[in-house]
Amino acid sequence: MAAVPGRVVVTAAAYQRVLGAVAADALGVPRRVPRVRVSDEAGSLRAEVRSPVRVRAGETVLALARDASARVQEEGSRLTGAAVATGHIHITAVENRKERVR
C-alpha cells in the first residue's frame, strides 16, 4: 500500500469519549455520566475515570470497579488502537439498581 500524505491526529477528547462509554457500560450508568481524563504514561494512555456506580443485589462496588478498570484498558485499547496502560476508577457515589419485575 502506498503512503498517503498527511497525518492523523486523535484528540484527547476523542479518547475521553470512547473510554467514558466503556466505563459507563461497565459501571451501569448513562454514557454521559463518567468524567474521564487521559494523559501520557510512557507512550501509552493513562485513563482516570470518575463516576458513580449502580449496584445490584449480589454485586460489590470493588468487583464492579475492578471490572471497569480492566474493561477500560482492554476494550479501550481494542477500540482506539492505542495502548491503555492504566485505568484508574474513582467511585463518586453508589446507586442501587432497580430490578424489573415481569
Side-chain angles (χ1 to χ4, degrees), residues 19-97:
L19 299 176
V22 171
D25 288 346
L27 296 170
V29 296
R31 290 186 177 188
R32 61 178 164 63
V33 172
R35 298 292 175 238
V36 181
R37 284 184 25 177
V38 293
S39 58
D40 178 68
E41 185 173 283
S44 296
L45 290 177
R46 171 189 174 98
E48 292 189 36
V49 179
R50 294 186 164 282
S51 177
V53 62
R54 287 195 181 145
V55 181
R56 284 190 296 226
E59 294 177 324
T60 66
V61 173
L62 184 57
L64 290 169
R66 284 183 177 156
D67 178 60
S69 177
R71 287 177 61 182
V72 164
Q73 289 176 276
E74 294 163 10
E75 290 181 36
S77 292
R78 183 178 57 79
L79 292 170
T80 64
V84 180
T86 308
H88 287 281
I89 308 296
H90 302 272
I91 302 299
T92 58
V94 177
E95 303 170 1
N96 288 327
R97 285 190 189 173

